[in-house]
Amino acid sequence: MSSKAKNILIVSITGVIIIALFVIFFLTSKVTMNEDYVSGNSAGNLNNGGFFCESNGRVYFANAYDNNTLYSMNADGTDIRKLNNSPVSSINAAGKYLYYAMTSGSKKSGGDGLGYMMQTSGIYRSNLKGKSAVNLDRCHIVSMQLCGNYLYYEKYDNKEGTSLDKIRIDKKEKQTVANEIINPNCYVNGKIYYQGTARDHYLHALDVATDKDSVIWKGNIWNPIVQDGYVYYMDVSENYRLCRYSLSGDVVEVLTNERIDMFNVYRDYIYYQVSSPDAPALKRMMIDGSSQETVQEGVFQNINITSSYVYFNGFDAPVPVYKTSTYGPVNVTTFDAAKQAAIENMD
């Protein structure tokens, strides 16, 4: 073979390699899109900080025993793995990716758990192993929900105040939807349901196809959760009792007359924190208000629910984390496996 032919062959092979590498880079860097109906986490979990999120049998969670850094495990609590080194909240999962508000900074001594971090905030997308994290927006996140291929997030800025923004999951089409307080956590069938905090406490719906707002019902509500045609909410006008409203029947049912601080709905059950100076307690009931029972006496918060367990912690006490069976008899224990995993992953 002549030197000229060899040079042509080398150039051709090099060209093929470059094209192949370009194709591989394009295919691996291209973000896989979701169906429009996809949401990233339940409204109830996100209203309670979004510290646990279940997807395809895997639970992604902020480990309170390790500065709320991102871990994953099976739904039954086995096979716990640490995914990254920064505190997270508002965890969402769908398809090939995780989305979360991440805080990071220099470690300091003291604080809760096994350490403490100086915190700055931003939205990140990573793969399901917590790797290849991409910053989508640097801001302070109040709440966030994945709505199809867009992240809708309520953010706060010291100069601009609170706004509802959105960004496509491939970091395109970032824009401000509304310059007011809008909680995006409840996303169902193409609409974000929320209480109109800025103007009223009516039930509003934001159509994500148009970003147009409409009033659905002129109730006096807080933290709506829509499930199977009902809106579960805290009744502001009646001392924050727990009620549900039928979207089809225009009927209100009172589920408990006790004042509550927070609640979460998961299929057939509602878990809720009763606010009482004498007898505060975490309780649960069926979704029609029947079979009310006490889970644990005391003041608790961050009620996050998966298919196997309900997780919660004491008010202003991130640890210990407690858990009980979502469906089975009440049996509260501490989340010792998460604590052990944190000890094993200490730097």
Side-chain angles (χ1 to χ4, degrees), residues 58 61 63 71-73 77-82 335 337-338 341:
R58 197 74 182 167
F61 69 101
N63 191 343
Y71 281 63
S72 73
M73 62 182 173
T78 60
D79 189 29
I80 298 181
R81 303 177 186 181
K82 183 172 182 175
F335 191 12

Side-chain angles (χ1 to χ4, degrees), residues 220-235:
N220 196 353
I221 70 169
W222 193 257
N223 278 0
I225 296 176
V226 176
Q227 177 180 288
D228 297 333
Y230 286 96
V231 182
Y232 298 84
Y233 66 95
M234 297 160 66
D235 187 348

Side-chain angles (χ1 to χ4, degrees), residues 101-164:
M102 187 170 78
T103 56
S104 62
S106 58
K107 185 174 284 187
K108 301 180 69 176
S109 61
D112 294 304
L114 300 178
Y116 176 75
M117 301 287 288
M118 291 291 289
Q119 297 184 354
T120 57
S121 298
I123 297 174
Y124 285 79
R125 183 195 72 233
S126 75
N127 61 28
L128 296 178
K129 294 182 179 180
K131 310 303 181 184
S132 303
V134 175
N135 175 254
L136 302 179
D137 192 8
R138 294 191 181 278
C139 55
H140 178 74
I141 299 298
V142 180
S143 57
M144 179 175 70
Q145 173 67 280
L146 176 68
C147 306
N149 289 309
Y150 291 85
L151 290 164
Y152 279 75
Y153 53 104
E154 184 183 356
K155 71 176 188 178
Y156 177 78
D157 181 88
N158 288 332
K159 295 181 179 180
E160 303 297 328
T162 301
S163 65
L164 179 69

Side-chain angles (χ1 to χ4, degrees), residues 41 45 52-60 75 266 305-308:
N41 201 346
N45 281 355
F52 287 76
C53 176
E54 185 171 357
S55 179
N56 294 323
R58 197 74 182 167
V59 174
Y60 304 91
Y266 189 88
I305 306 179
T306 70
S307 59
S308 296

Side-chain angles (χ1 to χ4, degrees), residues 216-282:
I216 302 300
W217 175 54
K218 294 183 178 181
N220 196 353
I221 70 169
W222 193 257
N223 278 0
I225 296 176
V226 176
Q227 177 180 288
D228 297 333
Y230 286 96
V231 182
Y232 298 84
Y233 66 95
M234 297 160 66
D235 187 348
V236 178
S237 60
E238 294 293 339
N239 199 31
Y240 291 89
R241 66 185 181 182
L242 186 60
C243 300
R244 70 174 181 177
Y245 169 75
S246 171
L247 289 169
S248 60
D250 192 28
V251 175
V252 171
E253 297 175 67
V254 178
L255 302 180
T256 177
N257 282 302
E258 297 171 297
R259 178 187 173 97
I260 69 169
D261 291 325
M262 62 200 68
F263 72 103
N264 197 341
V265 181
Y266 189 88
R267 297 181 182 173
D268 296 330
Y269 280 99
I270 303 173
Y271 286 78
Y272 58 103
Q273 174 63 39
V274 173
S275 176
S276 168
D278 302 318
L282 178 67

